[in-house]
Amino acid sequence: MFDSLRVPVIAAPMAGGPSTPELVAAVGRAGAFGYLAGGYLTAASLAEQITTVRRLSDAAFGVNLFVPGIRSTVDLSAYVERVGHEARRYGTEAGEPRWDDDGYSAKLDLLVEARVPVVSFTFGLPSGSDVDRLHEVGTTVVVTVTSPEEARQASELGVDALCVQGFEAGGHRSVFTDDPDDPSGGPLYGLLAGLRLCSAVTDLPLVAAGGLVRGADVAAVVTAGAVAAQLGTAFLRADEAGTNPTQREALVAGGRPTAVTRAFSGRPARGLVNRFLREHSDHAPAAYPQLHRLTKPVRAASGQAGDPEAMSLWAGQTYTLADGGPAERIVDRLWDEAREALRRSSRRFA
Ligand SMILES: Cc1cc2nc3c(=O)[nH]c(=O)nc-3n(C[C@H](O)[C@H](O)[C@H](O)COP(=O)(O)O)c2cc1C
């Protein structure tokens, strides 16, 4: 699937607003590949988005789903209290910290019925029977991994490709199990190390994700053996992205480091450092999606007030180098830069 792309670039699924049918269609028109983000959406709104992508473009596209995890039984009362204070500060009420499976089965049924070309899974492995159902309708199945051990498990399941996510990546880390004793949720591999170690345990095609923002980075990971580069942050400021305006402003302003935190959702994710992240990260339990639901009204109120200090500002380490503009122009530039970087580097190896 990915080795036939004219441009070996994938616009990453970005749940919570940034991924839109318009973004997916635009990168498809430019010869790259786009994912819709199925996480947090109802099956009905995901179905609408799939219909819109198909109306806007003939290019192949993918849909990403979050695999439901184990329900944490950790005591949340102290964190509920903290978020309650935040909610009062923003004139709202904290959300109900309940667990759910994000409507996973209904969305999977939809994807089988809609015969979506590619389905990728994050936060764990789908069941073998779900992989079989997708294969029966001709869907390519991808699993995101963060370590060689996860790559081994995914490859034994019989999926078609892996997305190797380095620790540089923006948004949630795709660790299969979030280790509560580890602030990062599991071992941290930089992208090149992760690619190399994963390629030692599997022959599956590997997509590379994490911190890739310029064409030279795309050329670098393809040279290192990846079939394509998956970029999230590089598309966050695209015209077609549905990124929250307050987050866009924070990205443009720059000046903040990024860090991995559970403070907003209960699962480790990388974003720009703000007050909420600084004050609550050390207290946040590993309880996804309970914390996601608990903090949702606070994040929304903060964004609406134009205040970036209590929203999740997910972005990768290289966010200051990402540009705005039409997505097709971003893809064209990545392509031109990649070719130029290869021309220059090939002289060094001639
Ligand atoms: C705002 C945002 C939302 C994301 N949402 C998802 C998601 O829904 N599913 C997923 O598999 N990965 C998600 N990711 C992670 C990307 O798939 C990818 O690993 C990451 O963007 C790569 O790092 P980069 O942002 O530095 O390019 C998200 C990333 C960002 C920045």
Short mmCIF file of all heavy atoms in Angstrom, two decimals, residues 12-16 18 37-39 64 66 120-122 144 163 165 168-172 174 209-212 230-234 236 247 270 314-318, ligand 1:
data_model
loop_
_atom_site.label_atom_id
_atom_site.label_comp_id
_atom_site.label_asym_id
_atom_site.label_seq_id
_atom_site.Cartn_x
_atom_site.Cartn_y
_atom_site.Cartn_z
N ALA A 12 -0.52 12.16 9.68
CA ALA A 12 -0.90 11.30 10.82
C ALA A 12 -2.35 11.56 11.23
O ALA A 12 -2.86 12.67 11.07
CB ALA A 12 0.02 11.62 12.00
N PRO A 13 -2.99 10.52 11.79
CA PRO A 13 -4.29 10.78 12.40
C PRO A 13 -4.08 11.67 13.61
O PRO A 13 -3.17 11.44 14.41
CB PRO A 13 -4.75 9.38 12.82
CG PRO A 13 -3.49 8.58 12.98
CD PRO A 13 -2.52 9.15 12.01
N MET A 14 -4.92 12.70 13.76
CA MET A 14 -4.81 13.58 14.93
C MET A 14 -6.20 13.82 15.48
O MET A 14 -6.97 14.65 14.96
CB MET A 14 -4.11 14.89 14.55
CG MET A 14 -2.65 14.68 14.18
SD MET A 14 -1.71 16.21 13.99
CE MET A 14 -2.23 16.75 12.38
N ALA A 15 -6.52 13.04 16.52
CA ALA A 15 -7.86 13.09 17.11
C ALA A 15 -8.06 14.39 17.87
O ALA A 15 -7.10 15.06 18.25
CB ALA A 15 -8.05 11.90 18.04
N GLY A 16 -9.32 14.74 18.08
CA GLY A 16 -9.64 15.93 18.87
C GLY A 16 -9.79 17.17 18.01
O GLY A 16 -9.84 18.28 18.54
N PRO A 18 -7.80 18.25 14.85
CA PRO A 18 -6.90 18.61 13.75
C PRO A 18 -7.15 17.82 12.45
O PRO A 18 -7.13 18.39 11.36
CB PRO A 18 -5.50 18.32 14.31
CG PRO A 18 -5.66 18.49 15.79
CD PRO A 18 -7.05 18.02 16.11
N ALA A 37 -8.95 10.57 11.97
CA ALA A 37 -8.75 10.13 13.35
C ALA A 37 -10.10 9.69 13.91
O ALA A 37 -10.97 10.52 14.14
CB ALA A 37 -8.17 11.28 14.17
N GLY A 38 -10.25 8.39 14.11
CA GLY A 38 -11.53 7.88 14.61
C GLY A 38 -11.69 8.03 16.12
O GLY A 38 -12.81 7.95 16.63
N GLY A 39 -10.59 8.28 16.83
CA GLY A 39 -10.64 8.41 18.28
C GLY A 39 -11.56 9.55 18.69
O GLY A 39 -11.57 10.60 18.04
N ASN A 64 -7.87 5.78 11.75
CA ASN A 64 -7.19 5.29 12.95
C ASN A 64 -8.20 5.11 14.08
O ASN A 64 -9.10 5.92 14.26
CB ASN A 64 -6.12 6.31 13.37
CG ASN A 64 -5.49 5.98 14.71
OD1 ASN A 64 -5.80 6.60 15.73
ND2 ASN A 64 -4.62 5.00 14.73
N PHE A 66 -8.53 4.00 18.42
CA PHE A 66 -7.88 3.73 19.70
C PHE A 66 -8.37 2.37 20.20
O PHE A 66 -9.58 2.17 20.33
CB PHE A 66 -8.29 4.78 20.74
CG PHE A 66 -7.79 6.18 20.48
CD1 PHE A 66 -8.45 7.26 21.04
CD2 PHE A 66 -6.67 6.42 19.70
CE1 PHE A 66 -8.00 8.57 20.83
CE2 PHE A 66 -6.21 7.71 19.48
CZ PHE A 66 -6.88 8.79 20.05
N SER A 120 -5.59 1.83 10.93
CA SER A 120 -4.47 1.71 11.87
C SER A 120 -4.99 1.75 13.30
O SER A 120 -6.03 2.34 13.58
CB SER A 120 -3.44 2.82 11.64
OG SER A 120 -3.87 4.04 12.19
N PHE A 121 -4.26 1.06 14.17
CA PHE A 121 -4.64 0.94 15.57
C PHE A 121 -3.56 1.53 16.46
O PHE A 121 -2.37 1.31 16.23
CB PHE A 121 -4.86 -0.54 15.94
CG PHE A 121 -6.04 -1.15 15.24
CD1 PHE A 121 -5.88 -1.79 14.02
CD2 PHE A 121 -7.31 -1.06 15.79
CE1 PHE A 121 -6.96 -2.35 13.36
CE2 PHE A 121 -8.41 -1.62 15.14
CZ PHE A 121 -8.23 -2.27 13.93
N THR A 122 -4.03 2.22 17.49
CA THR A 122 -3.14 2.88 18.44
C THR A 122 -3.55 2.45 19.84
O THR A 122 -4.73 2.19 20.06
CB THR A 122 -3.29 4.41 18.26
OG1 THR A 122 -2.78 4.73 16.97
CG2 THR A 122 -2.54 5.21 19.28
N THR A 144 0.43 0.80 15.48
CA THR A 144 1.50 1.70 15.93
C THR A 144 2.22 1.08 17.11
O THR A 144 1.57 0.61 18.07
CB THR A 144 0.93 3.07 16.34
OG1 THR A 144 0.17 3.58 15.26
CG2 THR A 144 2.04 4.05 16.68
N CYS A 163 3.60 1.14 12.34
CA CYS A 163 4.05 2.53 12.42
C CYS A 163 4.91 2.60 13.68
O CYS A 163 4.42 2.37 14.78
CB CYS A 163 2.85 3.48 12.52
SG CYS A 163 3.35 5.18 12.84
N GLN A 165 6.68 4.63 16.36
CA GLN A 165 6.57 5.99 16.90
C GLN A 165 7.73 6.25 17.86
O GLN A 165 7.84 5.59 18.89
CB GLN A 165 5.23 6.14 17.63
CG GLN A 165 4.94 7.54 18.13
CD GLN A 165 3.78 7.57 19.11
OE1 GLN A 165 3.71 6.73 20.01
NE2 GLN A 165 2.87 8.51 18.94
N GLU A 168 9.98 11.40 20.12
CA GLU A 168 9.91 12.81 19.70
C GLU A 168 8.47 13.21 19.36
O GLU A 168 8.14 14.39 19.25
CB GLU A 168 10.75 13.03 18.44
CG GLU A 168 12.20 12.58 18.54
CD GLU A 168 12.43 11.13 18.12
OE1 GLU A 168 11.46 10.33 18.19
OE2 GLU A 168 13.56 10.80 17.74
N ALA A 169 7.62 12.21 19.15
CA ALA A 169 6.30 12.42 18.56
C ALA A 169 5.38 13.28 19.41
O ALA A 169 5.37 13.19 20.64
CB ALA A 169 5.63 11.07 18.31
N GLY A 170 4.55 14.07 18.73
CA GLY A 170 3.49 14.81 19.40
C GLY A 170 2.30 13.91 19.66
O GLY A 170 2.11 12.90 19.00
N GLY A 171 1.49 14.31 20.62
CA GLY A 171 0.29 13.54 20.95
C GLY A 171 0.59 12.33 21.82
O GLY A 171 1.68 12.21 22.39
N HIS A 172 -0.40 11.45 21.90
CA HIS A 172 -0.26 10.31 22.81
C HIS A 172 0.81 9.32 22.36
O HIS A 172 0.93 9.04 21.17
CB HIS A 172 -1.60 9.56 22.92
CG HIS A 172 -2.57 10.26 23.80
ND1 HIS A 172 -3.60 11.02 23.32
CD2 HIS A 172 -2.64 10.33 25.15
CE1 HIS A 172 -4.28 11.54 24.33
NE2 HIS A 172 -3.72 11.14 25.45
N SER A 174 1.92 5.62 21.86
CA SER A 174 1.03 4.49 21.55
C SER A 174 1.34 3.25 22.38
O SER A 174 1.00 2.14 21.97
CB SER A 174 1.12 4.16 20.07
OG SER A 174 0.21 3.15 19.74
N ALA A 209 7.46 7.59 12.53
CA ALA A 209 6.76 8.77 13.06
C ALA A 209 7.49 9.33 14.26
O ALA A 209 7.99 8.59 15.10
CB ALA A 209 5.33 8.40 13.46
N GLY A 210 7.53 10.68 14.32
CA GLY A 210 8.08 11.32 15.51
C GLY A 210 9.09 12.39 15.17
O GLY A 210 10.23 12.07 14.81
N GLY A 211 8.68 13.65 15.24
CA GLY A 211 9.63 14.75 15.08
C GLY A 211 10.01 15.05 13.65
O GLY A 211 10.88 15.88 13.41
N LEU A 212 9.38 14.40 12.67
CA LEU A 212 9.75 14.62 11.26
C LEU A 212 8.99 15.85 10.77
O LEU A 212 7.77 15.89 10.83
CB LEU A 212 9.38 13.39 10.42
CG LEU A 212 9.89 12.06 10.98
CD1 LEU A 212 9.38 10.89 10.16
CD2 LEU A 212 11.42 12.05 11.02
N GLN A 230 5.49 9.36 8.65
CA GLN A 230 4.18 9.83 9.13
C GLN A 230 4.40 11.09 9.96
O GLN A 230 5.10 11.06 10.97
CB GLN A 230 3.51 8.74 9.95
CG GLN A 230 2.17 9.16 10.53
CD GLN A 230 1.33 7.97 10.98
OE1 GLN A 230 1.16 7.00 10.23
NE2 GLN A 230 0.82 8.01 12.19
N LEU A 231 3.79 12.19 9.52
CA LEU A 231 3.99 13.49 10.17
C LEU A 231 2.66 14.01 10.72
O LEU A 231 1.66 14.04 10.00
CB LEU A 231 4.51 14.52 9.16
CG LEU A 231 5.96 14.41 8.67
CD1 LEU A 231 6.20 13.17 7.83
CD2 LEU A 231 6.32 15.65 7.86
N GLY A 232 2.68 14.40 11.97
CA GLY A 232 1.49 14.99 12.58
C GLY A 232 1.65 16.49 12.71
O GLY A 232 0.98 17.29 12.04
N THR A 233 2.59 16.88 13.56
CA THR A 233 2.80 18.30 13.87
C THR A 233 3.01 19.14 12.61
O THR A 233 2.56 20.29 12.55
CB THR A 233 3.99 18.42 14.84
OG1 THR A 233 3.68 17.66 16.00
CG2 THR A 233 4.27 19.85 15.22
N ALA A 234 3.68 18.57 11.60
CA ALA A 234 3.95 19.33 10.37
C ALA A 234 2.66 19.76 9.68
O ALA A 234 2.68 20.68 8.86
CB ALA A 234 4.79 18.48 9.42
N LEU A 236 -0.27 20.42 11.58
CA LEU A 236 -1.18 21.02 12.58
C LEU A 236 -1.62 22.42 12.19
O LEU A 236 -2.71 22.86 12.53
CB LEU A 236 -0.48 21.10 13.94
CG LEU A 236 -0.67 19.96 14.92
CD1 LEU A 236 0.12 20.23 16.19
CD2 LEU A 236 -2.14 19.73 15.24
N GLN A 247 -4.55 26.87 20.17
CA GLN A 247 -3.37 26.01 20.00
C GLN A 247 -2.52 26.51 18.83
O GLN A 247 -1.28 26.54 18.91
CB GLN A 247 -3.77 24.55 19.76
CG GLN A 247 -2.54 23.70 19.42
CD GLN A 247 -2.70 22.24 19.65
OE1 GLN A 247 -3.80 21.76 19.91
NE2 GLN A 247 -1.63 21.48 19.55
N ARG A 270 2.77 13.85 24.40
CA ARG A 270 3.69 15.00 24.32
C ARG A 270 2.97 16.26 23.84
O ARG A 270 2.26 16.23 22.84
CB ARG A 270 4.86 14.69 23.37
CG ARG A 270 5.88 15.84 23.30
CD ARG A 270 7.06 15.53 22.39
NE ARG A 270 7.87 14.43 22.89
CZ ARG A 270 8.76 14.53 23.87
NH1 ARG A 270 8.97 15.69 24.46
NH2 ARG A 270 9.44 13.46 24.26
N TRP A 314 -1.01 19.41 22.23
CA TRP A 314 -0.21 18.30 21.69
C TRP A 314 0.63 18.74 20.50
O TRP A 314 0.12 19.33 19.54
CB TRP A 314 -1.09 17.13 21.25
CG TRP A 314 -1.97 16.50 22.28
CD1 TRP A 314 -3.19 15.96 22.04
CD2 TRP A 314 -1.71 16.28 23.67
NE1 TRP A 314 -3.71 15.43 23.20
CE2 TRP A 314 -2.83 15.63 24.21
CE3 TRP A 314 -0.65 16.61 24.53
CZ2 TRP A 314 -2.92 15.27 25.55
CZ3 TRP A 314 -0.74 16.27 25.87
CH2 TRP A 314 -1.84 15.61 26.36
N ALA A 315 1.91 18.44 20.54
CA ALA A 315 2.81 18.72 19.41
C ALA A 315 4.13 18.00 19.65
O ALA A 315 4.50 17.72 20.79
CB ALA A 315 3.06 20.23 19.29
N GLY A 316 4.82 17.71 18.56
CA GLY A 316 6.10 17.01 18.64
C GLY A 316 7.25 17.97 18.93
O GLY A 316 7.08 19.20 18.91
N GLN A 317 8.42 17.39 19.17
CA GLN A 317 9.56 18.19 19.61
C GLN A 317 9.97 19.27 18.61
O GLN A 317 10.54 20.28 19.00
CB GLN A 317 10.76 17.27 19.88
CG GLN A 317 10.59 16.44 21.14
CD GLN A 317 11.82 15.66 21.51
OE1 GLN A 317 12.47 15.07 20.64
NE2 GLN A 317 12.16 15.62 22.78
N THR A 318 9.70 19.06 17.32
CA THR A 318 10.19 20.02 16.31
C THR A 318 9.12 21.02 15.87
O THR A 318 9.21 21.61 14.79
CB THR A 318 10.69 19.25 15.06
OG1 THR A 318 9.66 18.35 14.65
CG2 THR A 318 11.95 18.46 15.34
C1 LIG B 1 -2.49 16.81 17.90
C2 LIG B 1 -2.10 15.36 17.70
C3 LIG B 1 -3.08 14.39 17.78
C4 LIG B 1 -2.73 13.04 17.56
N1 LIG B 1 -3.73 12.10 17.56
C5 LIG B 1 -3.42 10.81 17.21
C6 LIG B 1 -4.45 9.85 16.99
O1 LIG B 1 -5.64 10.13 17.10
N2 LIG B 1 -4.08 8.59 16.66
C7 LIG B 1 -2.76 8.24 16.47
O2 LIG B 1 -2.48 7.10 16.14
N3 LIG B 1 -1.78 9.13 16.66
C8 LIG B 1 -2.08 10.41 17.00
N4 LIG B 1 -1.07 11.33 17.12
C9 LIG B 1 0.34 10.89 16.94
C10 LIG B 1 0.71 10.80 15.46
O3 LIG B 1 0.15 9.64 14.89
C11 LIG B 1 2.23 10.70 15.26
O4 LIG B 1 2.76 9.63 16.00
C12 LIG B 1 2.93 11.99 15.66
O5 LIG B 1 2.21 13.11 15.24
C13 LIG B 1 4.31 12.01 15.06
O6 LIG B 1 5.09 13.02 15.64
P1 LIG B 1 5.10 14.55 15.11
O7 LIG B 1 3.85 15.14 15.65
O8 LIG B 1 6.33 15.11 15.70
O9 LIG B 1 5.09 14.50 13.61
C14 LIG B 1 -1.38 12.68 17.32
C15 LIG B 1 -0.42 13.68 17.26
C16 LIG B 1 -0.76 15.01 17.43
C17 LIG B 1 0.32 16.06 17.32
#
